[in-house]
Amino acid sequence: MYLTTKDLKKSYGEGGSYSQVLKGINLEVEKGEMCVIQGTSGSGKSTLLNLIGGLDRMESGSVKVDGIEISGLGNKALAEYRRANLGFIFQFYNLIPNLTVRENIRVCQYLGKPAMDMGELLDTLGLTEHMNKFPSQLSGGQQQRCAIARALIKNPKLLLCDEPTGALDSKTSKDILVLLEKVNRRYNTTMLVVTHNNSIKNMMDHIVIMKDGMIVKNYINDNKIEAAMLEDL
Amino acid sequence: MRSGLLRRIPRDLKKSWTRYLALMVLIIASMYIVVSVVGMTEVTIQGTAKKIEENRIQDGQFQTFEKLTTEQVKEISDMGIITEEIFYVDVSHGENTIRVGKVRTDIDLIDIDEGALPVKDDEIVLMNLYCDRNGLSLGDQIVIAEKTFTISGIGSVPDYNLPLKNMSDMTSDPSRFGVGFVNSESYEQIVNSDNTGSEVYIYAYRLCGASAAELKDKLKTFDYDYEMSDNVYLKEIIDKKLQDKYDFEDGLDELGDGIDELSDGAKDLYDGASELHDGVSEMKDNMPDLVDGTDELLEGASDLYDGVYDYTTAVDSAAGGANDLSDGAVVIADAVPPLAEGIDDLSDGLDEISGNSSDLRSGAYDLYDGADELADGVSELSDGVDELYDGSEELLDGTVELCDGVAELSDGYKEFKDSTEEFLEDAFEVDISLLEEFTENKDNPRIASDAASDVLIKKSIGLFAGAVILALIAYVISVFTGNQIREESSVIGTLFALGIRKSEIAVHYIILPLFLTFVAGLAGMLLGFSKYGVEFQMQDVYEYYSVPVFENIRPLYLIIYCCAVPPLIAAIVNYLVINGKLSSTALSLMRNEDRQRIKGNEKASREKKNFLDDFKSRQIRRERRSIAAVVVGMVISLVLLLMGVSCYVLCNNVKQHNIRDASCEYTYVLKYPPEDVPEGAEECYAKSLKHTYLEYTLDVTLYGIVDNSSFFEARPSKCENKVVIGNGVATKYSLGKGDLLILTDSSEDRNYAFEIEDVVDYSIGLTVFMNIDSARELFGAEDDEYNVLFSHDKLDIEDGRVMSITTRDEIINTAGIFVDQMMSLVIIMISISVLIFVTVMYLMINVMIRRASLSIALVKIFGYRSGELRRIFMDGNFFAVALSALVGIPLCKTFVDRIYPMFIANTAMENDITYPWWLWFFIFAAVMTVYFIISTMLMGKIKRIEPAEILKNRE
C-alpha cells in the first residue's frame, strides 16, 4: 500500500471553540491510484489532505507514505519528505505572483531529480506562449495549468490536488482533468484529489466520501470513465 | 457596518502587535531623542538668556598692565560705558587653583545656587562646578593663601560659564580649577599675602550704547606712568628696558665733552698757527740780509783763496830758493860746518812752511767751496721760507675755519642733544602697553563657548535629525501601510463592493496608525520631557558648564512636533496609499490584482543557470522599496553612529596626542620674567593671537622657540613670515604646508599672514611655532625677551613673576576629562543609531517576510530547506545591507568629516577624526552582526510560517 492513514484525528480550538475536524480517518491508497475525496464544506477533506501532505500536525493516528511514517517527523524532515515525494495543486493556484510562468515552474523543477522536461511540459499544458507572463496576466485556467506544471515538473510520486478545478469553468476543468489523467497514466503518479464536484469521481479509481470528519464511503470505482467523457463539470 | 468594522481594529492590533510595537518604538525613540536634545537646548538657551539679563553679563573685558587711574576710569565712564574691576589672583588649594576675586556689584554678578554672598572676612563663594567635583558643600572650610575661609555660598558667574583657566585652553577642568569670591578686605589680604600669583587687572565693561572700538581706541591713548608703580618685578623689567637709553645718554654726554675738548684744541691750534705765521713772516723779512751776507761771505772767501794762493806760491818760491840755498850751503857747509847746520835748519823750516802753505791753500779752497754751497743753501732757504710763509698763511686760514667748524659742531651738538632727548623719550618709551588684552564677548571662549552657544549646534542637529527621522518614519509608515493595504486588498475590495464609501474605508484604516502614532509621539514627548530626557541631557550642561539651575520649559513647537506630526504623517501617508488603492475597481481589489505594478516594474528575466539566484533577484526587485527603506534607515543610523564613533575617536585622539605631545613637565607663563633664563629651562617668546573660522574666533598660541628646541619637534627657520604649525591647527583649519595662515593681534588690531613651512606633531591646543628671534623681531620685543619657560623640573621662580603654571599632568588630565565629558553623548548617539537601525531593519524585513508569506508557504510546501529559504528571502537583505555598509560607511564618514568641524568649531582643539584601520572593519562587522541577529530572529519567523494556515487564509 502506497498511502495509509490510521485513526487519524485532528481538532482545532479549545474549550467552547473546540472542534474535531477529523475523527479517526483510516484510508489506504495503492500506488498509481487516482483517489478522490469528496464531501461537503467542513467535512474535513482539505484537512486530511494537509495532514497527508505534511502541512499540518495531526493530533493522533498515523500517516504512512511509501513506507515513511510522517506522524513523528519534525519540520525539517517533513520538508525533506515533501521535497522528495509530493506535488501540490491548489484550488486558487497559489502561484508566486512576482515570478513568471516559467519561473513558477522552475521553483519545483529545482527540486526534482530527475525533473521532467520543461519544454515538453509547457507544450503539453499549452503554456509555451505564456511562459514569460506573470500570473496576474493569465486566465484562471492558464494559472491552474501553470500550477499543474509546477507540481508535475519534479515528477512527484504523490500528487495532492485540493479542488483543482474549483475555480475553473467546465471546459477548462475538463482539460485539467484530462491532463491529470494523462500524467497518471504516463508516470504512474499516485493522485489524491479533494473535490466537492460530484462528476470528477467518475474518472477516479478510488472514491472516498467524507462527512463531519469521518469517512462515510470508501470504495473502488468499478465504473471508471475517461476524463474526456465527463459531463456536468 | 462601521461599528462592525471598528472591531477589526483591536484584532488587527493584537494580530500585528510586534510590527506596531516596533513602529511605536521607532517613533518613541525618535521623539524622545528630539525632545530631550532640542528641549535641553531650549532650556539652556532661554535660561541663559534670562540669566544674562539678570546677572548683567559683560559686553567684553580688557586687561591692563596696571590698574587704571581714577582719571582714566572717569574718562571711560564719561563715554557712557560702565566698568567693573574683576581683578583676580590665582591661589593654590591643595593641588588645585582657585581664582579669587572681589564680589561684583555692577557686571557679571554672582548667581547664588545656595547660601549667600560673603559678608565676613573669612567667607567665600565658590563656583558650583568646583564644589561639585571636589565634594565641597555649604559651610565647609577651605584654606587658601594661608587663611581659612568658610563657604558661604555656591554659585556661578556669567564670565566663567565655561570655566577655562586660560582662554587658550582646549577645555576646562573644574575639578582642578575654580573661581571664588570674597569681600574687598579679604581680597586685599590675599593679594598682599605670599604664595599667590601676581594680581591680574581685568575690567569688565558694558557698552551702554558706545562701541567696543571707541573704548579700545580710548584705552590705547592712556599713558602709563610706570614710575608710580611699586611692583619690583615691573621696575626690574623697566630698568632693563631703559638700560640702553641710559647708555645712550652717557655716550651723548661724552660726545659733548669731546666736542668741548675739540673746541679748545681748535683754539690752541689757531693760536699756534698764528705764532707760526708771525715767525715765518719775520724769517721771510730777514732772508734778504742773509742772502746779502752770504754773497759777501762768498766774495771774501774768494779773496781769501786768491791771497792764500799767492801766499802759497810765494812759499813755493821760497822753498825753491831754500833748496838752492841748501845746495849751495852743502858746499859751504863743507867749509863752514856751523853754517851748514844753519842752512839745514833753514831748509827744514822752509819744508815746514811749504807743508803748511799747502794745507792753507786746501783750507782756503774748502772755505771757498763752503761759502759757495752756503750761498746755494741760503738761496734755497729763501725759497723755502717763501713756501713756509705761504703754508703758514694757509694753516692760519685753515685753523680759522677749523675754529668756525668746531664752533658749529658745538652748536650742532647742542641742537642734537636737545633733539636726541626728545628722540630718546620716544624711542625708549617703556612700551609696557597699558592695554594688554581687549576681548569682546564673542571672542571670549568662557562666554562665547558658553552652554547656550554650545547647544545651538545641538539644537540644529536635533532639529535636523528630527526632520530626517520624520522622513524616515514617513517612509517606513508608507511601506508599512502599503503592505498592510495590499494584504487587506480583498477586504477593502469587498467593502468597496458592498457600498462603503472610500472616505469611510480610508478613515477605518487610518484610525489605528493615527492612534498609535499619536500615542507613540505623546509617549516619546513625555519621556523626552521627563527626568530621563531633558533633565538627563541637562546633566551634560551642568557637568560641563558653570551655570545656574535653569527653569524647565516645554516649547509648544516640540509638543506639536511630537503629538501632531507623527499622526499627521501617518494619516497623510495612509490616506494617499488607500486612496491610490481605491482607485482600482472593487473586483480588482477583491482579486488582489496588481497588474499595474507588474506591468510597470517587472520584466521577465533571462533564465539563469542557478534558479535560486534568479528567484532571489526577483525577490530583491519586488522588495526594492523595503530594501530602500532599510538602506535609508541604515544610512541615517550610520550617520548617527559615525557621529558618535567620530566623537569618541576625536576625544581619544586628543587624549593620546596630548600625552604624546606633552613633552615638558612644567610650562611657566610669566608676567615678569627674570633677566636670566633659569638653569634647566628653555625660554620662549609666546604671543596669543586669534584666528576666525566658521564664525568662531579662537586663541592660537604662537611659540617663538629657540633653535633646536629640546621640547618641540618644530624647527622653524629664521623668517618673520613663516611658521611651523602643530597638527592641531592643521586638522582644525584644514591647513597644510605652503598654505597661508592669518592670525590677528586683537589688542593691536593687526593681522599677520604666515606661510606654513611645515606641519609637526603637536596637538595641545592650537599652537604654531616660529623662531624666537624672528618672533621677537616681528612683535617688537627685546633681543633677549621671553615670557614662557619650559622645563622638565620645577623651577625656583618667585610667585610674583608667574602668571600661570601648567603641568604635564594637568594637560593629560584635561584631555582625559574631555573624553569623559563627551562619553555620554557618544553612548547616546551610538545607542540611538543602533536602535533606529534595528527597528527599521526589523520593520522592513518583517514587511518583506509578510509580503512573501505566501511564497514562503508555497516553497515550504514544495519542500524547500531553511538554507534555501534564507537564500531566497533573506540574502537580498544581506546583500543590500552588506553593500550599503560597504559603500555607506565611507560615504557617511565623508559626510561626517564635512559637518564635524561645525560641531566643534568653538573648541580650541584638533579635529583629527581619522579612524584606525581596524575601526572600519569593526563598524562593518558590528553592522553585519546586528543584521545577522535580526535576520536570525526573522528566520525563526519564516520557519514558524504554517503553510496550511497561509493557504487557508488565502482561500
Side-chain angles (χ1 to χ4, degrees):
Chain A
M1 202 57 60
Y2 185 72
L3 166 66
T4 307
T5 70
K6 281 185 183 172
D7 199 21
L8 193 58
K9 290 180 182 174
K10 175 71 180 175
S11 58
Y12 293 109
E14 291 175 22
S17 64
Y18 179 80
S19 166
Q20 189 160 26
V21 182
L22 296 181
K23 299 170 180 172
I25 301 294
N26 293 296
L27 176 67
E28 291 183 338
V29 178
E30 296 282 358
K31 179 154 179 64
E33 200 173 63
M34 290 178 74
C35 176
V36 64
I37 301 171
Q38 276 192 312
T40 53
S41 184
S43 60
K45 54 188 186 296
S46 291
T47 303
L48 175 61
L49 199 70
N50 287 341
L51 292 178
I52 292 168
L55 304 182
D56 208 350
R57 296 282 182 182
M58 64 196 77
E59 193 176 306
S60 65
S62 80
V63 174
K64 193 179 276 186
V65 176
D66 201 13
I68 303 168
E69 174 57 59
I70 66 168
S71 57
L73 297 180
N75 283 341
K76 197 173 175 181
L78 279 175
E80 291 300 326
Y81 154 71
R82 290 195 297 268
R83 187 183 183 106
N85 298 289
L86 304 187
F88 285 91
I89 298 172
F90 306 99
Q91 179 181 1
F92 293 106
Y93 335 126
N94 287 333
L95 298 174
I96 296 172
N98 60 327
L99 296 183
T100 63
V101 167
R102 188 174 56 178
E103 288 164 347
N104 262 289
I105 298 169
R106 287 189 69 207
V107 169
C108 286
Q109 186 188 25
Y110 171 77
L111 304 171
K113 292 176 184 177
M116 291 173 72
D117 181 71
M118 168 78 83
E120 183 189 341
L121 199 56
L122 287 170
D123 268 351
T124 305
L125 290 164
L127 288 171
T128 305
E129 63 181 299
H130 303 299
M131 66 179 183
N132 287 325
K133 288 181 180 172
F134 288 97
S136 61
Q137 295 164 320
L138 301 174
S139 69
Q142 287 164 338
Q143 287 192 55
Q144 191 61 303
R145 284 207 293 275
C146 177
I148 291 170
R150 182 179 64 183
L152 297 180
I153 189 75
K154 71 171 187 178
N155 198 8
K157 294 171 191 167
L158 176 60
L159 185 60
L160 303 176
C161 309
D162 190 358
E163 300 281 7
T165 60
L168 302 174
D169 60 75
S170 176
K171 183 182 178 306
T172 310
S173 294
K174 188 181 279 185
D175 291 344
I176 295 295
L177 291 171
V178 168
L179 187 66
L180 290 176
E181 188 179 60
K182 199 188 288 182
V183 167
N184 172 254
R185 284 177 186 168
R186 182 183 289 186
Y187 300 110
N188 196 30
T189 307
T190 307
M191 292 186 187
L192 203 56
V193 180
V194 166
T195 179
H196 62 271
N197 190 316
N198 203 34
S199 297
I200 291 176
K201 70 180 181 187
N202 295 327
M203 62 169 281
M204 296 294 171
D205 301 313
H206 186 167
I207 298 166
V208 176
I209 310 292
M210 289 185 70
K211 188 179 179 183
D212 296 333
M214 292 186 293
I215 294 174
V216 291
K217 283 186 183 177
N218 183 359
Y219 60 97
I220 301 298
N221 183 10
D222 295 329
N223 301 314
K224 180 184 170 185
I225 59 172
E226 289 189 354
M229 305 299 289
L230 293 174
E231 292 177 355
D232 300 328
L233 283 169
Chain B
M1 181 63 72
R2 288 174 68 183
S3 61
L5 268 180
L6 285 174
R7 288 181 186 168
R8 289 184 70 258
I9 292 173
R11 287 171 190 164
D12 180 37
L13 179 61
K14 188 179 174 185
K15 179 183 154 195
S16 307
W17 69 272
T18 50
R19 285 191 300 161
Y20 284 119
L21 182 65
L23 180 65
M24 288 179 75
V25 165
L26 179 66
I27 294 172
I28 290 169
S30 305
M31 296 300 116
Y32 162 74
I33 191 69
V34 171
V35 168
S36 58
V37 171
V38 178
M40 175 272 290
T41 65
E42 286 292 354
V43 169
T44 307
I45 292 166
Q46 293 189 31
T48 302
K50 189 179 171 191
K51 290 293 180 183
I52 278 173
E53 279 308 306
E54 285 178 7
N55 297 322
R56 284 181 260 166
I57 194 171
Q58 58 173 261
D59 291 329
Q61 64 181 45
F62 58 87
Q63 183 178 341
T64 55
F65 206 82
E66 277 289 316
K67 290 179 191 175
L68 294 180
T69 61
T70 311
E71 292 75 22
Q72 288 167 337
V73 172
K74 186 174 181 305
E75 280 188 60
I76 293 172
S77 65
D78 286 346
M79 295 169 71
I81 295 169
I82 301 169
T83 57
E84 164 109 38
E85 293 178 354
I86 53 173
F87 302 167
Y88 68 78
V89 287
D90 283 350
V91 297
S92 295
H93 174 225
E95 293 291 313
N96 306 335
T97 302
I98 296 180
R99 184 158 290 171
V100 182
K102 287 184 288 192
V103 172
R104 287 94 177 264
T105 55
D106 293 317
I107 301 175
D108 295 336
L109 304 182
I110 303 163
D111 196 301
I112 296 289
D113 295 345
E114 51 181 319
L117 290 173
V119 178
K120 298 175 186 169
D121 288 354
D122 63 347
E123 289 181 340
I124 187 169
V125 167
L126 279 180
M127 185 177 84
N128 46 17
L129 270 187
Y130 184 80
C131 290
D132 183 55
R133 298 293 165 84
N134 290 283
L136 295 170
S137 309
L138 208 62
D140 285 355
Q141 291 190 325
I142 61 169
V143 178
I144 54 172
E146 297 173 348
K147 186 179 174 184
T148 302
F149 286 87
T150 302
I151 300 172
S152 67
I154 295 172
S156 59
V157 284
D159 53 324
Y160 280 90
N161 195 305
L162 178 62
L164 296 173
K165 187 177 180 185
N166 305 301
M167 284 197 194
S168 59
D169 284 351
M170 182 174 65
T171 186
S172 62
D173 182 1
S175 63
R176 304 291 298 272
F177 171 76
V179 182
F181 299 93
V182 295
N183 65 25
S184 299
E185 291 74 23
S186 294
Y187 178 73
E188 292 306 323
Q189 288 173 16
I190 291 173
V191 168
N192 295 322
S193 68
D194 296 332
N195 304 319
T196 64
S198 56
E199 188 177 15
V200 178
Y201 308 111
I202 293 181
Y203 293 83
Y205 63 81
R206 280 171 73 88
L207 291 167
C208 304
S211 76
E214 288 170 353
L215 174 61
K216 195 171 178 181
D217 289 343
K218 171 60 71 180
L219 290 168
K220 284 180 180 177
T221 66
F222 288 160
D223 294 327
Y224 174 47
D225 188 1
Y226 52 83
E227 289 176 356
M228 298 294 289
S229 173
D230 54 359
N231 187 316
V232 291
Y233 304 115
L234 173 63
K235 285 190 168 175
E236 180 186 296
I237 287 173
I238 291 169
D239 285 345
K240 184 172 177 294
K241 283 178 177 285
L242 291 180
Q243 190 57 50
D244 286 344
K245 183 188 174 191
Y246 298 149
D247 291 346
F248 195 91
E249 284 175 342
D250 289 345
L252 199 63
D253 289 340
E254 284 177 19
L255 176 64
D257 294 342
I259 289 171
D260 288 343
E261 285 176 18
L262 181 64
S263 180
D264 295 341
K267 274 181 186 171
D268 292 344
L269 181 63
Y270 176 77
D271 294 342
S274 294
E275 284 175 18
L276 177 65
H277 184 259
D278 292 345
V280 172
S281 292
E282 215 172 288
M283 188 188 293
K284 189 181 177 187
D285 293 343
N286 292 327
M287 276 312 289
D289 294 338
L290 180 62
V291 172
D292 292 344
T294 306
D295 287 346
E296 286 174 13
L297 178 65
L298 185 61
E299 284 176 16
S302 178
D303 291 345
L304 180 63
Y305 179 77
D306 290 343
V308 169
Y309 184 79
D310 292 341
Y311 167 72
T312 55
T313 304
V315 168
D316 286 343
S317 297
N323 282 333
D324 291 344
L325 183 59
S326 176
D327 290 341
V330 169
V331 176
I332 300 166
D334 289 338
V336 182
L339 186 59
E341 287 176 7
I343 288 171
D344 283 343
D345 293 340
L346 179 62
S347 183
D348 291 340
L350 280 171
D351 287 340
E352 252 179 66
I353 289 168
S354 178
N356 290 336
S357 69
S358 178
D359 292 340
L360 181 64
R361 192 167 57 188
S362 297
Y365 185 75
D366 291 341
L367 177 66
Y368 177 76
D369 285 345
D372 194 31
E373 284 176 14
L374 179 64
D376 292 342
V378 169
S379 176
E380 285 175 13
L381 177 65
S382 178
D383 293 342
V385 169
D386 287 345
E387 285 176 12
L388 180 62
Y389 178 77
D390 294 341
S392 71
E393 273 197 330
E394 285 176 14
L395 176 65
L396 188 62
D397 293 342
T399 308
V400 170
E401 286 175 12
L402 176 67
C403 287
D404 292 343
V406 170
E408 282 177 18
L409 177 65
S410 181
D411 293 342
Y413 167 73
K414 282 174 185 166
E415 285 177 18
F416 174 68
K417 190 176 180 186
D418 293 342
S419 59
T420 300
E421 280 171 359
E422 289 174 18
F423 164 76
L424 285 177
E425 289 302 319
D426 295 339
F428 286 89
E429 181 184 358
V430 180
D431 190 19
I432 304 170
S433 173
L434 185 61
L435 179 61
E436 283 204 318
E437 278 185 18
F438 189 89
T439 310
E440 293 180 57
N441 270 4
K442 64 182 173 62
D443 299 330
N444 185 342
R446 294 177 187 131
I447 297 171
S449 299
D450 67 347
S453 307
D454 189 45
V455 299
L456 268 178
I457 296 165
K458 288 185 179 174
K459 183 179 178 181
S460 306
I461 295 173
L463 291 173
F464 174 74
V468 172
I469 288 170
L470 276 183
L472 178 68
I473 289 172
Y475 193 73
V476 168
I477 289 175
S478 74
V479 175
F480 192 78
T481 306
N483 182 58
Q484 190 187 16
I485 299 300
R486 244 191 313 278
E487 284 178 1
E488 296 274 329
S489 180
S490 56
V491 178
I492 293 170
T494 305
L495 294 172
F496 205 23
L498 289 171
I500 298 176
R501 286 193 293 271
K502 270 186 179 183
S503 57
E504 290 173 323
I505 295 170
V507 166
H508 171 69
Y509 279 96
I510 285 170
I511 286 174
L512 186 58
L514 195 74
F515 174 73
L516 293 179
T517 51
F518 171 75
V519 169
L522 184 67
M525 183 194 75
L526 293 175
L527 194 60
F529 282 131
S530 74
K531 65 178 181 179
Y532 304 106
V534 172
E535 287 183 36
F536 176 73
Q537 291 284 338
M538 285 302 294
Q539 291 307 312
D540 274 353
V541 173
Y542 292 134
E543 283 180 15
Y544 193 51
Y545 298 98
S546 175
V547 291
V549 177
F550 296 127
E551 188 183 334
N552 273 338
I553 55 167
R554 290 171 176 77
L556 181 62
Y557 74 89
L558 281 180
I559 295 171
I560 293 171
Y561 177 85
C562 294
C563 297
V565 176
L568 193 64
I569 287 174
I572 291 170
V573 170
N574 275 278
Y575 180 78
L576 290 175
V577 173
I578 292 168
N579 198 44
K581 198 77 186 171
L582 292 179
S583 62
S584 305
T585 62
L587 188 61
S588 172
L589 287 169
M590 282 192 288
R591 287 178 176 172
N592 201 6
E593 291 173 351
D594 217 350
R595 290 175 191 275
Q596 192 62 38
R597 185 176 64 80
I598 286 172
K599 273 184 187 173
N601 300 322
E602 298 273 4
K603 287 178 184 171
S605 60
R606 281 188 187 174
E607 196 170 307
K608 292 176 184 171
K609 282 186 180 174
N610 191 324
F611 169 70
L612 288 186
D613 289 341
D614 215 14
F615 199 170
K616 181 172 64 190
S617 64
R618 179 76 68 190
Q619 188 64 19
I620 290 171
R621 270 182 281 166
R622 175 184 173 170
E623 298 299 340
R624 58 190 176 277
R625 285 186 73 204
S626 303
I627 291 172
V630 169
V631 171
V632 170
M634 190 172 152
V635 167
I636 292 170
S637 309
L638 275 176
V639 168
L640 289 172
L641 176 73
L642 295 187
M643 292 273 283
V645 171
S646 295
C647 189
Y648 173 76
V649 168
L650 174 70
C651 296
N652 198 48
N653 281 348
V654 168
K655 184 177 181 181
Q656 298 304 324
H657 295 170
N658 279 12
I659 292 170
R660 178 196 66 193
D661 298 334
S663 53
C664 69
E665 291 293 334
Y666 296 92
T667 302
Y668 292 81
V669 179
L670 306 170
K671 190 166 186 180
Y672 306 107
E675 188 170 352
D676 298 319
V677 176
E679 193 175 345
E682 184 176 294
E683 76 272 30
C684 164
Y685 182 76
K687 184 82 176 172
S688 183
L689 302 168
K690 293 186 186 297
H691 183 70
T692 303
Y693 181 69
L694 295 176
E695 297 182 2
Y696 285 96
T697 301
L698 297 176
D699 275 17
V700 175
T701 305
L702 185 145
Y703 278 157
I705 57 173
V706 298
D707 291 338
N708 300 317
S709 167
S710 54
F711 293 97
F712 302 103
E713 184 189 328
R715 294 289 178 265
S717 59
K718 284 195 175 179
C719 186
E720 287 176 29
N721 61 355
K722 286 186 179 177
V723 289
V724 173
I725 62 173
N727 50 13
V729 173
T731 56
K732 178 81 182 173
Y733 300 128
S734 304
L735 293 170
K737 195 173 175 180
D739 288 345
L740 205 63
L741 173 65
I742 308 289
L743 298 176
T744 304
D745 184 344
S746 61
S747 64
E748 297 289 330
D749 284 334
R750 184 179 297 174
N751 287 338
Y752 297 94
F754 297 104
E755 184 191 334
I756 296 164
E757 62 177 324
D758 199 6
V759 179
V760 294
D761 284 342
Y762 195 79
S763 302
I764 301 171
L766 300 174
T767 311
V768 301
F769 301 94
M770 199 174 186
N771 176 274
I772 190 167
D773 294 327
S774 303
R776 286 165 175 157
E777 184 75 26
L778 180 65
F779 299 110
E782 300 290 322
D783 288 346
D784 57 352
E785 191 170 335
Y786 66 93
N787 50 16
V788 173
L789 286 171
F790 303 109
S791 172
H792 289 306
D793 303 305
K794 195 167 187 178
L795 300 175
D796 184 20
I797 298 180
E798 299 96 319
D799 292 334
R801 294 183 183 277
V802 178
M803 188 178 285
S804 69
I805 304 171
T806 306
T807 65
R808 186 172 188 273
D809 287 344
E810 284 174 342
I811 291 170
I812 292 169
N813 284 341
T814 304
I817 283 165
F818 191 67
V819 176
D820 297 341
Q821 285 171 341
M822 299 303 282
M823 197 47 77
S824 64
L825 184 64
V826 171
I827 291 169
I828 285 174
M829 292 181 83
I830 291 176
S831 305
I832 292 295
S833 64
V834 170
L835 183 64
I836 290 176
F837 179 59
V838 168
T839 310
V840 171
M841 191 176 286
Y842 178 83
L843 275 173
M844 291 300 102
I845 296 178
N846 204 11
V847 163
M848 290 183 224
I849 290 171
R850 283 180 68 89
R851 277 153 59 117
S853 58
L854 174 63
S855 302
I856 294 168
L858 285 172
V859 295
K860 280 183 84 171
I861 288 170
F862 298 146
Y864 274 62
R865 300 177 184 121
S866 292
E868 291 162 339
L869 291 175
R870 174 184 280 277
R871 205 167 148 192
I872 294 170
F873 296 101
M874 301 299 281
D875 273 8
N877 300 319
F878 168 77
F879 288 123
V881 170
L883 190 64
S884 301
L886 276 175
V887 177
I889 291 171
L891 280 179
C892 291
K893 176 66 167 54
T894 306
F895 175 70
V896 169
D897 284 350
R898 292 281 175 86
I899 62 171
Y900 214 81
M902 290 185 278
F903 300 152
I904 57 166
N906 61 342
T907 311
M909 59 187 283
E910 65 172 319
N911 182 27
D912 184 358
I913 48 174
T914 310
Y915 289 2
W917 64 268
W918 57 265
L919 191 54
W920 295 97
F921 291 99
F922 181 79
I923 293 169
F924 180 77
V927 168
M928 296 314 295
T929 302
V930 170
Y931 165 75
F932 279 123
I933 292 169
I934 294 169
S935 67
T936 303
M937 283 167 59
L938 292 171
M939 264 310 289
K941 197 178 178 72
I942 287 178
K943 286 179 184 171
R944 286 193 300 274
I945 288 177
E946 291 293 338
E949 193 67 20
I950 296 288
L951 293 176
K952 190 178 165 190
N953 289 341
R954 180 173 167 80
E955 287 167 16

